[in-house]
Amino acid sequence: MIGKSVSVTRMQNLDLVQRMAELARSAAAPRSVDDVLAEVTAAAKELLPAVDTAGVLLIAKGGKFESLAGTSELPHRLDALQMKYNEGPCVEAALDELIVRTDDFRTEQRWPRYSAAVAEMGVLSGLSFKLYTSSQTAGALNLFAFKPNAFNGESENVGAVLAAHAAAAILASRQSEQLQSALSTRDRIGQAKGIIMERFGVDDVRAFELMRRLSQDSNTKLLDVAERVIATRSEG
């Protein structure tokens, strides 16, 4: 009997390792962050049978939030409740704690209004993991169950690995967006420099210096100056 139990555990561990490897490959591929997060929340349900629904909550600077990758509509409703009451495990995990676990929302005292509301909806257990995203945005991977005491230490270990994949996907997406923005900015400034060089017969160094001085004198971003220069060509 003990041998059989060990064999089952080994098989579960192997499945877990294989699934994590698949997630790592998907996160590294050029795919949208929404697709990767959807795979992470789906994997949470697959790898942790206690999970009835899962989602990701992102909180931007200023308190704006995005509820993403829900395996059902329920996580989005739970996120909305947290924003309404300004309390709850997902917000706490996103902003402060690394892991926040609730064994029974019917007796949870940390977030009284939120807990009472979700218990009425039949959600009794929760497990939230902080996502390391950026200084501007916080996030949490959130797992919920309809029965009390649904999660344990093993759930926390698996969830922590999934949260790392989710955070990596978010960071990779943002870095890609920043790179694309930087390349676009460089191209527009280069285009504006070309127009100035052609129009005034100066070299690229002098053209850039003219744009920089105009930016400083008018307290305008360099990119905005470039856009105005480009607009003069179309007007001409």
Side-chain angles (χ1 to χ4, degrees):
M1 188 72 177
I2 293 177
K4 183 178 180 181
S5 175
V6 171
S7 177
V8 170
T9 300
R10 285 177 178 169
M11 184 64 70
Q12 290 173 337
N13 289 340
L14 180 59
D15 290 342
L16 175 60
V17 170
Q18 290 175 338
R19 193 67 181 92
M20 293 304 176
E22 291 170 6
L23 284 170
R25 286 193 293 270
S26 69
R31 306 176 62 216
S32 75
V33 66
D34 288 343
D35 287 344
V36 176
L37 293 182
E39 284 195 1
V40 168
T41 52
K45 286 195 67 178
E46 176 187 337
L47 296 171
L48 295 171
V51 175
D52 289 304
T53 191
V56 172
L57 175 67
L58 296 184
I59 305 175
K61 201 170 184 180
K64 295 181 180 179
F65 77 99
E66 287 184 278
S67 184
L68 305 171
T71 57
S72 68
E73 185 59 30
L74 184 55
H76 305 304
R77 294 168 59 195
L78 299 178
D79 287 342
L81 281 175
Q82 291 187 89
M83 295 303 104
K84 175 182 177 181
Y85 295 126
N86 196 30
E87 65 177 28
C90 311
V91 172
E92 185 161 323
L95 298 176
D96 297 309
E97 301 296 328
L98 296 180
I99 299 177
V100 179
R101 187 167 114 194
T102 297
D103 292 324
D104 195 334
F105 280 113
R106 294 171 298 185
T107 57
E108 177 60 71
Q109 299 299 312
R110 286 173 289 183
W111 321 286
R113 292 180 297 172
Y114 171 82
S115 297
V118 300
E120 260 188 47
M121 296 166 65
V123 176
L124 299 184
S125 298
L127 189 56
S128 297
F129 302 86
K130 184 180 184 67
L131 301 181
Y132 291 94
T133 53
S134 73
S135 59
Q136 299 294 316
T137 306
L141 169 66
N142 307 301
L143 316 178
F144 298 98
F146 298 139
K147 67 178 184 180
N149 303 297
F151 303 118
N152 54 24
E154 182 182 351
S155 307
E156 294 184 3
N157 291 337
V158 173
V161 176
L162 291 171
H165 282 290
I170 294 169
L171 286 172
S173 173
R174 287 180 179 159
Q175 288 169 353
S176 176
E177 289 172 1
Q178 289 169 359
L179 176 60
Q180 291 299 322
S181 177
L183 290 174
S184 176
T185 297
R186 186 193 66 181
D187 289 346
R188 299 299 279 176
I189 291 173
Q191 187 176 347
K193 277 200 310 180
I195 293 171
I196 293 173
M197 291 166 63
E198 178 183 351
R199 185 170 296 170
F200 299 106
V202 297
D203 61 21
D204 62 338
V205 175
R206 180 62 177 155
F208 182 79
E209 179 62 20
L210 288 172
M211 291 175 58
R212 187 185 66 79
R213 287 181 57 186
L214 181 57
S215 171
Q216 291 177 338
D217 293 345
S218 61
N219 194 28
T220 305
K221 292 180 180 179
L222 186 61
L223 178 59
D224 292 338
V225 171
E227 295 290 359
R228 290 179 185 177
V229 172
I230 294 169
T232 62
R233 167 176 279 184
S234 61
E235 290 171 1

